[in-house]
PDB file of all heavy atoms in Angstrom:
ATOM      1  N   ILE E  23     115.655 107.145 121.794  1.00  0.00           N
ATOM      2  CA  ILE E  23     115.557 106.482 123.074  1.00  0.00           C
ATOM      3  C   ILE E  23     116.867 106.827 123.837  1.00  0.00           C
ATOM      4  O   ILE E  23     117.937 106.584 123.321  1.00  0.00           O
ATOM      5  CB  ILE E  23     115.410 105.008 122.865  1.00  0.00           C
ATOM      6  CG1 ILE E  23     114.259 104.641 121.893  1.00  0.00           C
ATOM      7  CG2 ILE E  23     115.309 104.246 124.230  1.00  0.00           C
ATOM      8  CD1 ILE E  23     112.900 105.181 122.385  1.00  0.00           C
ATOM      9  N   ALA E  24     116.766 107.430 124.967  1.00  0.00           N
ATOM     10  CA  ALA E  24     117.921 107.811 125.759  1.00  0.00           C
ATOM     11  C   ALA E  24     117.631 107.477 127.218  1.00  0.00           C
ATOM     12  O   ALA E  24     116.644 106.950 127.601  1.00  0.00           O
ATOM     13  CB  ALA E  24     118.130 109.338 125.622  1.00  0.00           C
ATOM     14  N   SER E  25     118.734 107.721 128.039  1.00  0.00           N
ATOM     15  CA  SER E  25     118.619 107.375 129.435  1.00  0.00           C
ATOM     16  C   SER E  25     117.550 108.317 130.179  1.00  0.00           C
ATOM     17  O   SER E  25     116.954 107.930 131.144  1.00  0.00           O
ATOM     18  CB  SER E  25     119.974 107.534 130.159  1.00  0.00           C
ATOM     19  OG  SER E  25     120.447 108.814 129.970  1.00  0.00           O
ATOM     20  N   ASP E  26     117.280 109.425 129.551  1.00  0.00           N
ATOM     21  CA  ASP E  26     116.286 110.362 129.984  1.00  0.00           C
ATOM     22  C   ASP E  26     114.939 109.748 129.850  1.00  0.00           C
ATOM     23  O   ASP E  26     114.680 109.203 128.767  1.00  0.00           O
ATOM     24  CB  ASP E  26     116.366 111.665 129.244  1.00  0.00           C
ATOM     25  CG  ASP E  26     115.420 112.787 129.687  1.00  0.00           C
ATOM     26  OD1 ASP E  26     114.500 112.411 130.501  1.00  0.00           O
ATOM     27  OD2 ASP E  26     115.553 113.920 129.329  1.00  0.00           O
ATOM     28  N   PRO E  27     114.073 109.684 130.841  1.00  0.00           N
ATOM     29  CA  PRO E  27     112.778 108.978 130.658  1.00  0.00           C
ATOM     30  C   PRO E  27     111.822 109.572 129.576  1.00  0.00           C
ATOM     31  O   PRO E  27     110.969 108.931 129.129  1.00  0.00           O
ATOM     32  CB  PRO E  27     112.093 109.042 132.037  1.00  0.00           C
ATOM     33  CG  PRO E  27     112.830 110.100 132.740  1.00  0.00           C
ATOM     34  CD  PRO E  27     114.258 110.262 132.148  1.00  0.00           C
ATOM     35  N   ARG E  28     112.147 110.874 129.244  1.00  0.00           N
ATOM     36  CA  ARG E  28     111.291 111.488 128.234  1.00  0.00           C
ATOM     37  C   ARG E  28     111.740 110.948 126.832  1.00  0.00           C
ATOM     38  O   ARG E  28     112.896 110.864 126.571  1.00  0.00           O
ATOM     39  CB  ARG E  28     111.514 113.015 128.233  1.00  0.00           C
ATOM     40  CG  ARG E  28     110.858 113.684 129.408  1.00  0.00           C
ATOM     41  CD  ARG E  28     111.134 115.153 129.485  1.00  0.00           C
ATOM     42  NE  ARG E  28     112.583 115.335 129.499  1.00  0.00           N
ATOM     43  CZ  ARG E  28     113.219 116.278 128.830  1.00  0.00           C
ATOM     44  NH1 ARG E  28     112.625 117.149 128.035  1.00  0.00           N
ATOM     45  NH2 ARG E  28     114.550 116.465 128.921  1.00  0.00           N
ATOM     46  N   VAL E  29     110.816 110.671 126.014  1.00  0.00           N
ATOM     47  CA  VAL E  29     111.063 110.255 124.618  1.00  0.00           C
ATOM     48  C   VAL E  29     111.009 111.500 123.706  1.00  0.00           C
ATOM     49  O   VAL E  29     110.138 112.233 123.701  1.00  0.00           O
ATOM     50  CB  VAL E  29     110.062 109.219 124.105  1.00  0.00           C
ATOM     51  CG1 VAL E  29     110.294 108.913 122.715  1.00  0.00           C
ATOM     52  CG2 VAL E  29     110.151 107.987 124.986  1.00  0.00           C
ATOM     53  N   GLN E  30     112.167 111.729 123.023  1.00  0.00           N
ATOM     54  CA  GLN E  30     112.216 112.922 122.190  1.00  0.00           C
ATOM     55  C   GLN E  30     112.032 112.480 120.730  1.00  0.00           C
ATOM     56  O   GLN E  30     112.583 111.465 120.334  1.00  0.00           O
ATOM     57  CB  GLN E  30     113.677 113.540 122.329  1.00  0.00           C
ATOM     58  CG  GLN E  30     113.959 114.749 121.412  1.00  0.00           C
ATOM     59  CD  GLN E  30     115.321 115.192 121.618  1.00  0.00           C
ATOM     60  OE1 GLN E  30     116.179 114.696 122.363  1.00  0.00           O
ATOM     61  NE2 GLN E  30     115.604 116.301 120.916  1.00  0.00           N
ATOM     62  N   THR E  31     111.185 113.226 120.061  1.00  0.00           N
ATOM     63  CA  THR E  31     110.961 112.886 118.679  1.00  0.00           C
ATOM     64  C   THR E  31     111.845 113.742 117.812  1.00  0.00           C
ATOM     65  O   THR E  31     111.918 114.974 118.024  1.00  0.00           O
ATOM     66  CB  THR E  31     109.421 113.221 118.322  1.00  0.00           C
ATOM     67  OG1 THR E  31     108.652 112.380 119.227  1.00  0.00           O
ATOM     68  CG2 THR E  31     109.197 112.874 116.895  1.00  0.00           C
ATOM     69  N   VAL E  32     112.487 113.193 116.883  1.00  0.00           N
ATOM     70  CA  VAL E  32     113.388 113.908 115.959  1.00  0.00           C
ATOM     71  C   VAL E  32     113.013 113.601 114.499  1.00  0.00           C
ATOM     72  O   VAL E  32     112.576 112.461 114.227  1.00  0.00           O
ATOM     73  CB  VAL E  32     114.881 113.582 116.212  1.00  0.00           C
ATOM     74  CG1 VAL E  32     115.304 114.004 117.614  1.00  0.00           C
ATOM     75  CG2 VAL E  32     115.130 112.105 116.052  1.00  0.00           C
ATOM     76  N   PRO E  33     113.098 114.486 113.646  1.00  0.00           N
ATOM     77  CA  PRO E  33     112.853 114.245 112.253  1.00  0.00           C
ATOM     78  C   PRO E  33     113.968 113.492 111.629  1.00  0.00           C
ATOM     79  O   PRO E  33     115.137 113.572 111.948  1.00  0.00           O
ATOM     80  CB  PRO E  33     112.688 115.664 111.642  1.00  0.00           C
ATOM     81  CG  PRO E  33     113.553 116.533 112.435  1.00  0.00           C
ATOM     82  CD  PRO E  33     113.532 115.929 113.871  1.00  0.00           C
ATOM     83  N   ALA E  34     113.718 112.637 110.611  1.00  0.00           N
ATOM     84  CA  ALA E  34     114.662 111.957 109.846  1.00  0.00           C
ATOM     85  C   ALA E  34     114.144 111.786 108.469  1.00  0.00           C
ATOM     86  O   ALA E  34     112.955 111.832 108.227  1.00  0.00           O
ATOM     87  CB  ALA E  34     115.022 110.699 110.513  1.00  0.00           C
ATOM     88  N   THR E  35     115.077 111.577 107.554  1.00  0.00           N
ATOM     89  CA  THR E  35     114.651 111.320 106.144  1.00  0.00           C
ATOM     90  C   THR E  35     115.352 110.032 105.651  1.00  0.00           C
ATOM     91  O   THR E  35     116.553 109.877 105.806  1.00  0.00           O
ATOM     92  CB  THR E  35     115.152 112.493 105.201  1.00  0.00           C
ATOM     93  OG1 THR E  35     114.503 113.671 105.694  1.00  0.00           O
ATOM     94  CG2 THR E  35     114.641 112.259 103.767  1.00  0.00           C
ATOM     95  N   LEU E  36     114.557 109.129 105.159  1.00  0.00           N
ATOM     96  CA  LEU E  36     115.041 107.927 104.486  1.00  0.00           C
ATOM     97  C   LEU E  36     115.233 108.239 103.001  1.00  0.00           C
ATOM     98  O   LEU E  36     114.304 108.799 102.425  1.00  0.00           O
ATOM     99  CB  LEU E  36     114.025 106.781 104.646  1.00  0.00           C
ATOM    100  CG  LEU E  36     113.921 106.189 106.039  1.00  0.00           C
ATOM    101  CD1 LEU E  36     112.696 105.258 106.125  1.00  0.00           C
ATOM    102  CD2 LEU E  36     115.161 105.414 106.390  1.00  0.00           C
ATOM    103  N   THR E  37     116.367 107.767 102.457  1.00  0.00           N
ATOM    104  CA  THR E  37     116.662 108.061 101.096  1.00  0.00           C
ATOM    105  C   THR E  37     117.152 106.783 100.378  1.00  0.00           C
ATOM    106  O   THR E  37     117.890 106.021 101.018  1.00  0.00           O
ATOM    107  CB  THR E  37     117.740 109.169 100.926  1.00  0.00           C
ATOM    108  OG1 THR E  37     117.315 110.312 101.611  1.00  0.00           O
ATOM    109  CG2 THR E  37     118.059 109.516  99.449  1.00  0.00           C
ATOM    110  N   TYR E  38     116.694 106.549  99.199  1.00  0.00           N
ATOM    111  CA  TYR E  38     117.073 105.485  98.358  1.00  0.00           C
ATOM    112  C   TYR E  38     117.373 106.002  96.973  1.00  0.00           C
ATOM    113  O   TYR E  38     116.618 106.771  96.404  1.00  0.00           O
ATOM    114  CB  TYR E  38     116.002 104.399  98.229  1.00  0.00           C
ATOM    115  CG  TYR E  38     116.424 103.154  97.403  1.00  0.00           C
ATOM    116  CD1 TYR E  38     117.291 102.254  97.964  1.00  0.00           C
ATOM    117  CD2 TYR E  38     116.017 103.091  96.133  1.00  0.00           C
ATOM    118  CE1 TYR E  38     117.739 101.204  97.194  1.00  0.00           C
ATOM    119  CE2 TYR E  38     116.435 101.973  95.404  1.00  0.00           C
ATOM    120  CZ  TYR E  38     117.279 101.015  95.969  1.00  0.00           C
ATOM    121  OH  TYR E  38     117.677  99.940  95.142  1.00  0.00           O
ATOM    122  N   ASP E  39     118.662 105.699  96.421  1.00  0.00           N
ATOM    123  CA  ASP E  39     119.035 106.183  95.114  1.00  0.00           C
ATOM    124  C   ASP E  39     119.265 104.966  94.300  1.00  0.00           C
ATOM    125  O   ASP E  39     120.098 104.167  94.601  1.00  0.00           O
ATOM    126  CB  ASP E  39     120.349 107.016  95.274  1.00  0.00           C
ATOM    127  CG  ASP E  39     120.753 107.662  94.002  1.00  0.00           C
ATOM    128  OD1 ASP E  39     120.332 107.236  92.829  1.00  0.00           O
ATOM    129  OD2 ASP E  39     121.582 108.625  94.076  1.00  0.00           O
ATOM    130  N   ARG E  40     118.609 104.920  93.094  1.00  0.00           N
ATOM    131  CA  ARG E  40     118.779 103.768  92.180  1.00  0.00           C
ATOM    132  C   ARG E  40     120.197 103.643  91.716  1.00  0.00           C
ATOM    133  O   ARG E  40     120.652 102.543  91.378  1.00  0.00           O
ATOM    134  CB  ARG E  40     117.860 103.961  91.102  1.00  0.00           C
ATOM    135  CG  ARG E  40     117.829 102.809  90.053  1.00  0.00           C
ATOM    136  CD  ARG E  40     116.703 102.862  89.021  1.00  0.00           C
ATOM    137  NE  ARG E  40     116.843 104.034  88.210  1.00  0.00           N
ATOM    138  CZ  ARG E  40     116.001 104.485  87.337  1.00  0.00           C
ATOM    139  NH1 ARG E  40     114.793 103.825  87.265  1.00  0.00           N
ATOM    140  NH2 ARG E  40     116.145 105.573  86.644  1.00  0.00           N
ATOM    141  N   GLU E  41     120.985 104.671  91.777  1.00  0.00           N
ATOM    142  CA  GLU E  41     122.366 104.595  91.300  1.00  0.00           C
ATOM    143  C   GLU E  41     123.293 103.927  92.380  1.00  0.00           C
ATOM    144  O   GLU E  41     124.402 103.616  92.153  1.00  0.00           O
ATOM    145  CB  GLU E  41     122.935 105.989  90.962  1.00  0.00           C
ATOM    146  CG  GLU E  41     122.219 106.493  89.706  1.00  0.00           C
ATOM    147  CD  GLU E  41     122.714 107.790  89.182  1.00  0.00           C
ATOM    148  OE1 GLU E  41     123.836 108.321  89.787  1.00  0.00           O
ATOM    149  OE2 GLU E  41     122.189 108.309  88.310  1.00  0.00           O
ATOM    150  N   ASP E  42     122.761 103.759  93.641  1.00  0.00           N
ATOM    151  CA  ASP E  42     123.467 102.993  94.620  1.00  0.00           C
ATOM    152  C   ASP E  42     122.413 102.026  95.226  1.00  0.00           C
ATOM    153  O   ASP E  42     121.923 102.179  96.328  1.00  0.00           O
ATOM    154  CB  ASP E  42     123.854 104.033  95.741  1.00  0.00           C
ATOM    155  CG  ASP E  42     124.765 103.439  96.811  1.00  0.00           C
ATOM    156  OD1 ASP E  42     125.169 102.197  96.596  1.00  0.00           O
ATOM    157  OD2 ASP E  42     125.077 104.085  97.804  1.00  0.00           O
ATOM    158  N   PRO E  43     121.980 100.971  94.395  1.00  0.00           N
ATOM    159  CA  PRO E  43     120.883 100.160  94.683  1.00  0.00           C
ATOM    160  C   PRO E  43     120.886  99.275  95.829  1.00  0.00           C
ATOM    161  O   PRO E  43     119.910  98.804  96.294  1.00  0.00           O
ATOM    162  CB  PRO E  43     120.715  99.371  93.352  1.00  0.00           C
ATOM    163  CG  PRO E  43     122.170  99.259  92.890  1.00  0.00           C
ATOM    164  CD  PRO E  43     122.774 100.536  93.250  1.00  0.00           C
ATOM    165  N   PHE E  44     122.065  99.051  96.464  1.00  0.00           N
ATOM    166  CA  PHE E  44     122.107  98.163  97.587  1.00  0.00           C
ATOM    167  C   PHE E  44     121.955  98.946  98.970  1.00  0.00           C
ATOM    168  O   PHE E  44     121.792  98.322  99.940  1.00  0.00           O
ATOM    169  CB  PHE E  44     123.423  97.446  97.636  1.00  0.00           C
ATOM    170  CG  PHE E  44     123.557  96.402  96.612  1.00  0.00           C
ATOM    171  CD1 PHE E  44     124.319  96.618  95.507  1.00  0.00           C
ATOM    172  CD2 PHE E  44     122.963  95.181  96.715  1.00  0.00           C
ATOM    173  CE1 PHE E  44     124.451  95.654  94.506  1.00  0.00           C
ATOM    174  CE2 PHE E  44     123.095  94.168  95.643  1.00  0.00           C
ATOM    175  CZ  PHE E  44     123.752  94.386  94.584  1.00  0.00           C
ATOM    176  N   ALA E  45     121.979 100.239  98.888  1.00  0.00           N
ATOM    177  CA  ALA E  45     121.998 101.045 100.123  1.00  0.00           C
ATOM    178  C   ALA E  45     120.809 101.971 100.358  1.00  0.00           C
ATOM    179  O   ALA E  45     120.127 102.320  99.382  1.00  0.00           O
ATOM    180  CB  ALA E  45     123.232 101.996 100.069  1.00  0.00           C
ATOM    181  N   VAL E  46     120.490 102.122 101.608  1.00  0.00           N
ATOM    182  CA  VAL E  46     119.537 103.170 101.973  1.00  0.00           C
ATOM    183  C   VAL E  46     120.302 104.155 102.928  1.00  0.00           C
ATOM    184  O   VAL E  46     121.342 103.786 103.455  1.00  0.00           O
ATOM    185  CB  VAL E  46     118.260 102.580 102.730  1.00  0.00           C
ATOM    186  CG1 VAL E  46     117.468 101.730 101.794  1.00  0.00           C
ATOM    187  CG2 VAL E  46     118.683 101.833 104.048  1.00  0.00           C
ATOM    188  N   ARG E  47     119.812 105.319 103.028  1.00  0.00           N
ATOM    189  CA  ARG E  47     120.391 106.316 103.973  1.00  0.00           C
ATOM    190  C   ARG E  47     119.318 106.867 104.869  1.00  0.00           C
ATOM    191  O   ARG E  47     118.230 107.060 104.496  1.00  0.00           O
ATOM    192  CB  ARG E  47     121.025 107.421 103.150  1.00  0.00           C
ATOM    193  CG  ARG E  47     122.322 106.972 102.415  1.00  0.00           C
ATOM    194  CD  ARG E  47     122.858 107.992 101.442  1.00  0.00           C
ATOM    195  NE  ARG E  47     124.140 107.493 100.917  1.00  0.00           N
ATOM    196  CZ  ARG E  47     124.241 106.507 100.073  1.00  0.00           C
ATOM    197  NH1 ARG E  47     123.212 105.882  99.684  1.00  0.00           N
ATOM    198  NH2 ARG E  47     125.464 106.128  99.626  1.00  0.00           N
ATOM    199  N   MET E  48     119.759 107.141 106.113  1.00  0.00           N
ATOM    200  CA  MET E  48     118.919 107.742 107.077  1.00  0.00           C
ATOM    201  C   MET E  48     119.613 109.106 107.470  1.00  0.00           C
ATOM    202  O   MET E  48     120.755 109.037 108.020  1.00  0.00           O
ATOM    203  CB  MET E  48     118.619 106.937 108.260  1.00  0.00           C
ATOM    204  CG  MET E  48     117.570 107.528 109.209  1.00  0.00           C
ATOM    205  SD  MET E  48     117.044 106.457 110.499  1.00  0.00           S
ATOM    206  CE  MET E  48     116.017 105.333 109.674  1.00  0.00           C
ATOM    207  N   VAL E  49     118.999 110.181 107.234  1.00  0.00           N
ATOM    208  CA  VAL E  49     119.657 111.524 107.462  1.00  0.00           C
ATOM    209  C   VAL E  49     118.878 112.165 108.635  1.00  0.00           C
ATOM    210  O   VAL E  49     117.667 112.298 108.640  1.00  0.00           O
ATOM    211  CB  VAL E  49     119.628 112.376 106.217  1.00  0.00           C
ATOM    212  CG1 VAL E  49     120.232 113.726 106.495  1.00  0.00           C
ATOM    213  CG2 VAL E  49     120.269 111.694 105.003  1.00  0.00           C
ATOM    214  N   PHE E  50     119.678 112.673 109.578  1.00  0.00           N
ATOM    215  CA  PHE E  50     119.164 113.434 110.689  1.00  0.00           C
ATOM    216  C   PHE E  50     119.644 114.840 110.536  1.00  0.00           C
ATOM    217  O   PHE E  50     120.844 115.131 110.373  1.00  0.00           O
ATOM    218  CB  PHE E  50     119.631 112.885 112.036  1.00  0.00           C
ATOM    219  CG  PHE E  50     119.172 111.466 112.322  1.00  0.00           C
ATOM    220  CD1 PHE E  50     119.889 110.339 111.951  1.00  0.00           C
ATOM    221  CD2 PHE E  50     117.971 111.295 112.893  1.00  0.00           C
ATOM    222  CE1 PHE E  50     119.399 109.071 112.152  1.00  0.00           C
ATOM    223  CE2 PHE E  50     117.482 110.018 113.141  1.00  0.00           C
ATOM    224  CZ  PHE E  50     118.203 108.904 112.822  1.00  0.00           C
TER     225      PHE E  50
END
Side-chain angles (χ1 to χ4, degrees):
I23 308 305
S25 57
D26 186 345
R28 294 176 296 141
V29 174
Q30 180 182 1
T31 301
V32 296
T35 302
L36 289 168
T37 304
Y38 181 77
D39 186 341
R40 184 170 62 190
E41 292 183 9
D42 190 6
F44 289 101
V46 295
R47 287 171 176 69
M48 186 174 289
V49 180
F50 296 91

